[in-house]
Each structure stands twice: as structure tokens, then as C-alpha cells.
Amino acid sequence: MVWMNTLWKGWSPWDDLGSLQAELRELAEGVQRTAADRGFPEVETKITDEGARVRALLPGFEPETIDVEVVGDRVRLSAERPEPESREGERLHARERAFGRFERTLRLPFEVCVEHVRANYQRGVLDLELPKSPAEKPRRIPVTTG
């Protein structure tokens, strides 16, 4: 029994619980930062053999304010949503909507054929069709004998 007293001496389960709480708090803060740092707009990218399809959520933007630039394997989205003017006598109580200019660059796993990119904006969703450059597409190489 003496060895158990020396083994447990100075140790408290409450110390471990405090350490666990601190680690969980750090983990939760990291998850919150990661979610906040994802960027705007929220995008969904799907890759196929032919290229990629990118859908970006852009509610409340006018189509003429949206810019799409493609260079190599990068797609840059930018737009601006002006802040609405307040009427006389109004004061802001709460704001959860973002206003102003944004810019976001996405990197694809291949070079894009810029000449065949299509962009469509409907109901607050920007839909991009980004075909692979011909140099990126697999080519069948005939095998000869002799």
C-alpha cells in the first residue's frame, strides 16, 4: 500500500480536468477561427475529367458588379455590394449582412482553358464551368511494335 500512496501523492483528478477543459477551449476556438477564415463567398468546387464546376453564393449582388478572372490554375472572384443608405431618423440596431468589396482566389488542380470558360449568375448563385486546358487532358498514346 505504501507504493500506491507515493504513486498518487501530488496528483489530483481535478488538475487533469482543468487541463482537459483548457485543451477543449483551445480546440473550440480553433474551429471557430477556421470557420470564420473560410472566406466569402462560400463556394463549392466539383472536379470532373473534363474540368471543374464552381458554384459561389453571392446573394444581393448585381451581375455587372461581379468580376471573374482566370489565369492558369487560378480563378479570382471579386464583386462589390454597396451599403444601403439609411433613411432620416433611422439608426442601425443590428447588422449581419456584409457590404463592400470582396476578392477571393481559388486554385484548381489543373490549368484552365480560358477561351471556353462559362459564367452564369442566377438567383444569387454564380455558376462557373471551367474546362481543362487541352494540355491537361489525358491523351491516349498508341503503342507500336518493332
Side-chain angles (χ1 to χ4, degrees):
M1 249 351 183
V2 173
W3 67 273
M4 286 191 80
N5 287 340
T6 57
L7 179 64
W8 293 95
K9 189 176 182 179
W11 177 82
S12 167
W14 303 114
D15 293 339
D16 284 349
L17 185 58
S19 296
L20 179 61
Q21 284 176 328
E23 288 179 31
L24 288 173
R25 192 172 23 260
E26 282 182 32
L27 179 63
E29 288 172 0
V31 168
Q32 289 172 354
R33 275 193 305 271
T34 302
D37 292 340
R38 273 194 305 233
F40 180 84
E42 294 177 352
V43 297
E44 175 183 273
T45 305
K46 294 182 180 179
I47 305 296
T48 68
D49 291 340
E50 297 301 313
R53 181 176 183 190
V54 174
R55 297 184 110 187
L57 300 180
L58 293 170
F61 286 87
E62 295 298 326
E64 58 272 6
T65 68
I66 300 171
D67 292 319
V68 179
E69 292 180 7
V70 179
V71 176
D73 63 348
R74 289 180 167 68
V75 179
R76 187 175 73 81
L77 306 174
S78 62
E80 186 166 358
R81 179 172 30 204
E83 186 173 346
E85 294 181 18
S86 296
R87 295 183 201 156
E88 191 174 321
E90 284 183 332
R91 66 178 199 273
L92 188 63
H93 172 69
R95 173 176 288 156
E96 295 181 3
R97 297 173 56 207
F99 298 97
R101 183 158 185 79
F102 81 85
E103 182 176 306
R104 182 162 183 197
T105 301
L106 309 171
R107 187 170 186 184
L108 298 173
F110 56 83
E111 299 256 336
V112 176
C113 181
V114 180
E115 294 81 24
H116 294 97
V117 171
R118 291 190 342 227
N120 183 42
Y121 180 72
Q122 190 172 11
R123 296 184 179 157
V125 178
L126 176 65
D127 197 4
L128 301 173
E129 294 287 335
L130 303 157
K132 285 183 181 179
S133 168
E136 294 279 343
K137 292 182 182 178
R139 291 184 298 167
R140 185 149 204 264
I141 308 298
V143 177
T144 60
T145 59

